[in-house]
């Protein structure tokens, strides 16, 4: 278990147009950034919201994750290469590595600690938080800013195909961050995660020990039938409904945890599933 | 203690004995590749595994990863099923290029994507590898540019030390990508002739391919003569494309790696530098090392042998160093006939007899990412 000291939520459901983040970034930070991609702006805004009110050590690490990374620059470079027969711009080439977003976040916040961009096929948020928990628990890192960043693109048909979601799924974008530390003092709550993927029997066994009032959040990968079966395992748990506040993006689990921490009290268990493998993590901010 | 059980590598130097002979002789195999730079065709030196590689085709990538993992398992006389509780970690600067496949395919078909709603993305390679080898532990894919697989190794160490896993298979991946080559060419970072780390006449990097795998464990699970002692990764925000020329950020990460390994600089037997042969990178690295080491230990760059394999170089260069020391030497750092006149000491110009010691490995990359770690080969 580790402690959550700050959270930042940036979650939008764009309709037709890409949200204008340049002006929002300027208002938030008082700084003018030029030639930054939407993905980078998104990353900075979420991280800024998380720690704007907090004291943050310059050694704080950044573990950033994303479902698709800087997909717009990728699409742009491909189009330039294949359709326009042009060389990509240097800034676009460099930003093809999505880790450059972490560089700009570090630069914005004055950080010089470890800076990782990591991905997982189904559970990017869970794996980033797991690594953060291990590194803080072992003392390798004193503080880690964990962020999940996914951008909406004005070609939802492309994004849906790449994400493997159906045509009716509504897509959103978000940049959600947590500042994690080993120290309890001043914390908003605690974070814990089952380090290994569980099978259904293991998941149900663990849920049996959940205390009264525990809330359960289900990722959109669960079917209604699965949700009903799991809710029936322990009738002292209540469902946490977040779905009306957001649309789909890969790093949504961080938004769900952060929304709970900023709007509710108690313990939230977040459940995700892929191919009969379940990941379980929880936050607790007391009663 | 974290043990380095063994590794396997596909690179331009060929297979085991052939590779070792090339390292001993100081004779790499360099090819060429031609790219369109602003509608002008330019030919650059390039270190290629073979002619079949094409990064954006996932079937080819899967094939290379399978080859290297199967070969490693054979070498260690292990079955995949022997690796109970194994985590898999991949570092590549090109994981975002998994998106290239459906997009490139669609170009030929009037932009009709053919990925059939099968999720693609950076975690795709390890997901399919884990399924093929029935690895059920955690997996993580890293893109931190040229430090990617070095950072993947540090994360693997964290999970081993935290006893989340008992084995870690750490992979480095970098294959030929026209986009990458054109990008570096456009930024005028490629040498048109040769890679000459730390030389007065160095004029840029030469890219190469490598697919590599190293198996880590703990000494209570699987002992080895090689062990990981400590390491550190950090980010400096001077420039998105490189370290501060003063070397301050590099000195800081080297000092932190030594502190994590609980050894002093005087204990280091030799340093495998990042040694890219770009003007500013070599300058920053040299100045960083000089701030930490009163007298530089023998140091070398392995990039003249396999090229700059970008995110793959973390594991690939670790394995080249280990193979050489296991064979009783460290290779000469070739192509540095005349040392940069601002540098105080030369890299090793002849291969050195060495069978054990403490080795520092340095990696630096785009995004201000600096990584350094220390390994030890115990004397038999």
């Amino acid at each position: 278990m580790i402690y959550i000291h700050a959270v930042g939520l940036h979650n939008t459901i764009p309709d037709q147009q890409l949200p204008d983040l340049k002006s929002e970034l300027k208002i938030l930070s008082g700084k003018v950034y030029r030639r930054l991609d939407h993905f980078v702006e998104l990353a900075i805004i979420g991280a800024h919201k998380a720690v704007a009110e907090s004291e943050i050590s310059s050694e704080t690490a950044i573990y950033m994750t994303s479902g698709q990374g800087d997909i717009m620059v990728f699409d742009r470079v491909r189009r330039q290469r294949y359709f326009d027969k042009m060389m990509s711009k240097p800034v676009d080439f460099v930003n093809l590595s999505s880790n450059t977003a972490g560089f700009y976040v570090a630069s914005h916040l004055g950080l010089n600690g470890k800076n990782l961009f990591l991905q997982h096929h189904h559970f990017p948020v869970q794996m980033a938080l797991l690594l953060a928990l291990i590194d803080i628990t072992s003392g390798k890192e004193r503080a880690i800013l964990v962020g999940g960043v996914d951008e909406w693109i004005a070609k939802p048909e492309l994004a849906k195909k790449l994400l493997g979601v159906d045509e009716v799924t509504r897509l959103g974008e978000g940049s959600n961050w947590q500042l994690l530390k080993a120290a309890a003092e001043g914390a908003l709550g605690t974070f814990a995660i089952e380090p290994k993927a569980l099978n259904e029997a293991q998941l149900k066994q663990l849920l049996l020990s959940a205390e009264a009032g525990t809330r359960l959040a289900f990722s959109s990968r669960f079917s209604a039938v699965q949700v009903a079966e799991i809710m029936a395992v322990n009738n002292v748990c209540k469902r946490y409904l977040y779905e009306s506040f957001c649309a789909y993006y890969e790093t949504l689990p961080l938004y769900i945890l952060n929304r709970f921490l900023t709007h509710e009290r108690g313990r939230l268990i977040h459940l995700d599933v892929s191919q009969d493998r379940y990941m379980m993590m929880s936050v607790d901010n007391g009663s | 203690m974290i043990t380095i059980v063994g590794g396997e590598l596909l690179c331009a130097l060929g297979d085991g004995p052939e590779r070792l002979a090339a390292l001993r002789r100081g004779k790499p195999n360099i090819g060429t590749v031609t790219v369109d730079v602003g509608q002008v065709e330019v030919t650059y030196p390039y270190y290629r595994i073979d002619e079949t590689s094409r990064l954006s085709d996932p079937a080819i990538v899967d094939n290379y990863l399978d080859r290297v993992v199967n070969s490693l398992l054979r070498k260690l006389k292990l079955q995949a099923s022997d690796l109970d509780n194994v985590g898999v970690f991949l570092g590549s600067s090109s994981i975002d290029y998994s998106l290239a496949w459906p997009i490139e395919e669609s170009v030929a078909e009037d932009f009709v994507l053919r990925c059939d709603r099968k999720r693609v993305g950076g975690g795709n390679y390890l997901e399919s590898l884990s399924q093929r080898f029935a690895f059920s532990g955690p997996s993580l894919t890293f893109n931190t540019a040229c430090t990617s697989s070095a950072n993947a190794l540090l994360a693997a160490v964290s999970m081993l030390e935290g006893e989340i896993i008992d084995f870690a298979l750490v992979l480095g991946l970098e294959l030929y990508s026209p986009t990458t080559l054109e990008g570096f060419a456009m930024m005028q970072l490629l040498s048109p002739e040769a890679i000459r780390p730390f030389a007065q006449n160095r004029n840029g990097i030469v890219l190469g391919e490598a697919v590599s795998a190293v198996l880590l464990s703990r000494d209570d699970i699987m002992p080895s003569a090689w062990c990981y002692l400590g390491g550190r990764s950090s980010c400096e925000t001077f420039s998105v494309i490189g370290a501060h020329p003063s070397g301050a950020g590099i000195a800081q990460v080297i000092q932190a790696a030594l502190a994590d390994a609980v050894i002093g600089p005087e204990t280091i037997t030799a340093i495998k530098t990042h040694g890219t042969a770009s003007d500013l990178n070599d300058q920053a690295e040299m100045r960083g090392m000089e701030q930490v080491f009163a007298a530089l230990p023998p140091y070398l760059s392995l990039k003249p042998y396999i090229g700059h394999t970008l995110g793959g170089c973390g594991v690939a260069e670790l394995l080249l160093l280990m193979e050489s020391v296991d064979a009783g030497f460290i290779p000469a750092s070739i192509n540095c006939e005349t040392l940069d006149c601002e540098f105080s000491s030369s890299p090793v110009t002849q291969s050195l007899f060495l069978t054990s010691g403490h080795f520092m490995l340095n990696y630096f990359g785009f995004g201000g990412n600096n990584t350094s770690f220390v390994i030890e080969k115990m004397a038999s």
Side-chain angles (χ1 to χ4, degrees), chain B residues 189-205:
Chain B
L189 292 173
L190 296 181
S191 169
E193 302 137 11
I195 183 166
R196 301 188 186 97
F198 305 104
Q200 180 71 39
N201 61 344
R202 68 186 182 277
N203 60 358
I205 66 175

Side-chain angles (χ1 to χ4, degrees), chain B residues 250-317:
Chain B
I250 288 173
Q252 198 174 37
V253 80
I254 289 174
Q255 281 163 336
L258 290 168
D260 193 51
V262 200
I263 58 171
E266 68 287 348
T267 308
I268 295 295
T269 310
I271 302 172
K272 183 223 67 76
T273 65
H274 192 50
T276 62
S278 86
D279 189 31
L280 289 177
N281 282 1
D282 282 7
Q283 181 186 326
E285 184 165 16
M286 179 57 74
R287 288 184 177 162
M289 290 191 298
E290 286 172 345
Q291 287 166 52
V292 178
F293 295 92
L296 273 185
Y299 73 93
L300 72 155
S301 170
L302 289 167
K303 288 183 175 61
Y305 291 94
I306 60 169
H308 189 350
T309 58
L310 304 175
C313 75
V315 175
E317 294 181 7

Side-chain angles (χ1 to χ4, degrees), chain B residues 62-378:
Chain B
D62 286 349
N63 180 265
Y64 277 109
L65 290 173
D66 284 2
R67 272 174 63 187
V68 82
V69 172
N70 278 320
S71 180
L72 171 61
L73 292 173
R74 275 196 304 274
K75 193 190 265 190
L76 296 174
K77 297 184 172 60
L78 291 170
Q79 304 287 323
S81 56
D82 295 332
L83 300 181
D84 193 25
N85 200 17
V86 60
V88 283
F89 304 82
L90 172 72
S92 173
S93 75
S94 302
I95 56 173
D96 293 3
Y97 294 164
S98 66
L99 298 170
W101 166 64
I103 293 178
E104 279 187 359
E105 292 284 284
S106 72
V107 168
E109 298 183 17
D110 197 22
F111 241 76
V112 177
L113 284 175
R114 292 199 308 160
C115 48
D116 300 329
R117 304 214 174 280
K118 288 178 186 166
R119 170 89 167 83
V120 296
N124 197 29
Y125 300 130
L126 283 189
E127 177 69 12
S128 53
L129 181 100
S130 294
Q131 285 179 4
R132 292 193 301 279
F133 286 88
F135 296 145
S136 59
S139 70
L140 265 172
T141 300
F142 292 78
N143 181 354
T144 56
C146 306
T147 57
S148 299
S149 57
N151 281 332
L153 188 139
L154 262 56
V157 167
S158 287
M159 289 210 183
L160 284 166
E161 288 177 342
E163 301 192 3
I164 303 294
I165 53 177
D166 293 330
F167 295 96
L169 187 63
V170 187
L171 302 150
L173 169 69
E174 211 69 56
L175 294 173
Y176 173 69
S177 158
T179 306
T180 302
L181 200 70
E182 288 165 13
F184 278 103
M186 176 190 55
M187 294 178 77
Q188 300 182 321
L189 292 173
L190 296 181
S191 169
E193 302 137 11
I195 183 166
R196 301 188 186 97
F198 305 104
Q200 180 71 39
N201 61 344
R202 68 186 182 277
N203 60 358
I205 66 175
V206 175
L207 295 175
E209 295 181 308
V211 183
S212 54
V214 63
L215 184 68
L216 309 182
S217 187
R218 291 189 304 272
D219 56 348
D220 58 321
I221 305 281
M222 194 167 278
S224 168
W226 284 100
C227 58
Y228 168 94
L229 295 185
R232 189 69 189 165
S233 178
S234 63
C235 174
E236 58 174 304
T237 54
F238 165 71
S239 162
V240 73
I241 60 165
H244 195 289
S246 73
I250 288 173
Q252 198 174 37
V253 80
I254 289 174
Q255 281 163 336
L258 290 168
D260 193 51
V262 200
I263 58 171
E266 68 287 348
T267 308
I268 295 295
T269 310
I271 302 172
K272 183 223 67 76
T273 65
H274 192 50
T276 62
S278 86
D279 189 31
L280 289 177
N281 282 1
D282 282 7
Q283 181 186 326
E285 184 165 16
M286 179 57 74
R287 288 184 177 162
M289 290 191 298
E290 286 172 345
Q291 287 166 52
V292 178
F293 295 92
L296 273 185
Y299 73 93
L300 72 155
S301 170
L302 289 167
K303 288 183 175 61
Y305 291 94
I306 60 169
H308 189 350
T309 58
L310 304 175
C313 75
V315 175
E317 294 181 7
L318 164 71
L319 294 178
L320 286 182
L321 182 72
M322 287 173 58
E323 281 181 356
S324 302
V325 174
D326 283 341
F329 70 101
I330 58 169
S333 192
I334 56 177
N335 297 352
C336 182
E337 286 82 18
T338 309
L339 182 69
D340 185 319
C341 62
E342 292 189 14
F343 297 166
S344 56
S345 65
S346 292
V348 290
T349 52
Q350 304 266 319
S351 65
L352 290 183
F353 173 78
L354 263 178
T355 55
S356 62
H358 294 76
F359 303 93
M360 168 166 276
L361 296 96
N362 294 333
Y363 306 93
F364 314 112
F366 280 5
N369 227 286
N370 300 330
T371 301
S372 178
F373 62 85
V374 181
I375 59 173
E376 180 185 6
K377 168 98 188 272
M378 285 171 257

Side-chain angles (χ1 to χ4, degrees), chain A residues 123 194 196-209 216 218 222-234 271-280:
Chain A
F123 306 122
E194 281 299 317
K196 289 177 184 160
L198 307 165
N199 61 32
E200 188 177 335
Q202 290 168 324
L203 173 75
K204 289 180 174 173
Q205 187 64 38
L206 281 170
L207 287 176
L208 278 174
S209 61
L216 299 184
F218 295 85
F222 283 93
S223 68
V225 172
Q226 286 176 305
V227 170
E229 279 181 12
I230 292 170
M231 287 304 299
V233 169
N234 185 340
L271 300 174
D272 207 344
V273 62
S274 175
Q275 296 169 345
D276 301 325
R277 292 176 299 163
Y278 298 84
M279 286 298 290
M280 178 171 158

